[in-house]
Amino acid sequence: QALMKNTKVIYYDKNHTNNTVELLNSDIKKYLKEEKETHITEWGVSTQYGNLINDTCFASSFIVSNILQCIGKVNSIGHWIFTDLMEEAKLPREEFHGGFGLMTYNGIKKPSYFAYYILNKLGNEIIEQSEGYIVTRKNEDIQILTYNYTHFDDLFMNGDFSALSYKKRYMIFKEKAANEIYINIKELYGYYKVTKYKLDRENGSSYDNWIRMGSPEDMGNEEIDYLKSTSNPKITVEYLDLDGSYKDKIYTQVHGVDLIVLEKKFK
């Protein structure tokens, strides 16, 4: 909590990145005669170093939501930064100090890292997309991604940071239930490997695992290795013979991301 004290943090509405990109594209078309590539750099959850929300599972749904909103509107969005090791700031004592990186300075992957890991598994052809989900295709394989994004509550947005502390970082978000999405993908025939990935506070969040293990400070190799080995998305695999369609139901928890990959196999 001391890391956030006496700092000014500016937060915008949940569509700020998308709105900024659309405004940028509008200006480019207005002032430039030919199309130009657009690359966003130094982008992330917050511009404030030491912002405690950077380590949370919120960051994963934030990244997924914003990246998917901006598909086709920019050529790339570069995250700031890859790890918490940065020459511009003194290395803090705390492992989960709210650094900008996708992993801690000891190499423990954060939920934000796995947001990109999951996004990277999407296909290159969009079948359907709306808020909360996207369905893509790559050759004969199908990818179904769902996410449950919730934004900051009004108190936090208006500058009241009292509900955010070092060991309690989820009291600042609007209340929201788990998403329940029904899936019915038609025109699928044959033998498929079905791999499911689940990323949420119970599966793949190193910060939440650190809290559950007792939030130790000055961790040794044993504790660091434990967090590295346990902080991964849950993965399940099954094989199905499909005769026309794939039906399923996904429950995505708040701040969570789920992915189903249907991979065509040949017996």
Side-chain angles (χ1 to χ4, degrees):
Q1 191 171 13
L3 293 169
M4 295 289 292
K5 192 175 181 180
N6 298 324
T7 61
K8 183 180 180 182
V9 185
I10 300 175
Y11 298 95
Y12 300 93
D13 66 88
K14 70 174 186 176
N15 297 315
H16 175 69
T17 297
N18 180 67
N19 294 341
T20 302
V21 166
E22 291 187 344
L23 179 62
L24 173 64
N25 286 339
S26 177
D27 286 344
I28 289 174
K29 290 180 180 179
K30 182 178 179 181
Y31 295 108
L32 298 179
K33 294 181 179 180
E34 57 184 39
E35 289 189 9
K36 298 289 184 180
E37 288 191 4
T38 307
H39 301 272
I40 298 176
T41 60
E42 300 189 16
W43 176 84
V45 175
S46 170
T47 59
Q48 178 65 49
Y49 178 76
N51 190 334
L52 300 177
I53 64 175
N54 287 330
D55 301 327
T56 67
C57 214
F58 162 80
S60 57
S61 61
F62 175 90
I63 290 169
V64 168
S65 176
N66 281 279
I67 293 292
L68 293 183
Q69 280 190 62
C70 293
I71 290 177
K73 300 176 184 178
V74 291
N75 294 91
S76 70
I77 298 180
H79 192 274
W80 179 262
I81 51 182
F82 187 61
T83 81
D84 283 348
L85 291 170
M86 55 183 298
E87 74 281 0
E88 299 174 15
K90 182 180 178 181
L91 191 66
R93 172 175 170 268
E94 298 89 352
E95 187 80 22
F96 295 98
H97 62 278
F100 291 125
L102 302 177
M103 59 177 66
T104 72
Y105 57 76
N106 278 313
I108 301 172
K109 295 170 182 174
K110 302 182 188 180
S112 53
Y113 175 96
F114 290 112
Y116 288 105
Y117 174 82
I118 288 176
L119 283 169
N120 190 52
K121 294 183 179 295
L122 290 176
N124 52 6
E125 176 189 351
I126 298 176
I127 298 175
E128 186 175 336
Q129 181 179 3
S130 187
E131 184 173 357
Y133 73 90
I134 187 171
V135 182
T136 64
R137 180 195 303 273
K138 184 176 182 180
N139 299 324
E140 295 191 69
D141 300 340
I142 301 293
Q143 304 82 29
I144 306 154
L145 185 153
T146 66
Y147 59 94
N148 191 348
Y149 179 81
T150 186
H151 204 54
F152 308 111
D153 62 24
D154 292 337
L155 282 175
F156 192 76
M157 289 288 288
N158 287 315
D160 184 347
F161 305 144
S162 60
L164 178 65
S165 66
Y166 190 61
K167 295 182 182 180
K168 294 183 180 180
R169 307 189 189 185
Y170 292 99
M171 302 292 291
I172 59 174
F173 300 101
K174 294 179 179 178
E175 293 186 7
K176 191 178 181 183
N179 280 349
E180 184 176 351
I181 295 180
Y182 293 86
I183 299 168
N184 185 7
I185 308 294
K186 298 180 179 179
E187 301 300 323
L188 291 181
Y189 298 89
Y191 190 59
Y192 281 84
K193 177 183 179 182
V194 182
T195 306
K196 297 181 180 181
Y197 303 83
K198 179 171 284 292
L199 172 64
D200 53 31
R201 293 183 63 184
E202 300 293 328
N203 304 278
S205 177
S206 53
Y207 167 74
D208 289 284
N209 284 342
W210 175 74
I211 291 293
R212 282 189 285 267
M213 74 183 294
S215 53
E217 297 294 351
D218 299 319
M219 292 189 293
N221 290 336
E222 182 179 38
E223 293 143 318
I224 292 170
D225 289 343
Y226 173 80
L227 285 176
K228 286 182 178 180
S229 64
T230 57
S231 301
N232 296 283
K234 180 182 178 181
I235 300 176
T236 59
V237 179
E238 63 178 328
Y239 294 86
L240 298 175
D241 271 312
L242 300 181
D243 188 21
S245 67
Y246 172 79
K247 297 180 181 180
D248 206 339
K249 183 166 55 178
I250 305 178
Y251 293 95
T252 304
Q253 299 297 327
V254 175
H255 310 305
V257 181
D258 283 88
L259 175 70
I260 299 177
V261 177
L262 305 174
E263 185 179 358
K264 184 69 175 290
K265 294 291 185 180
F266 299 93
K267 294 182 179 180

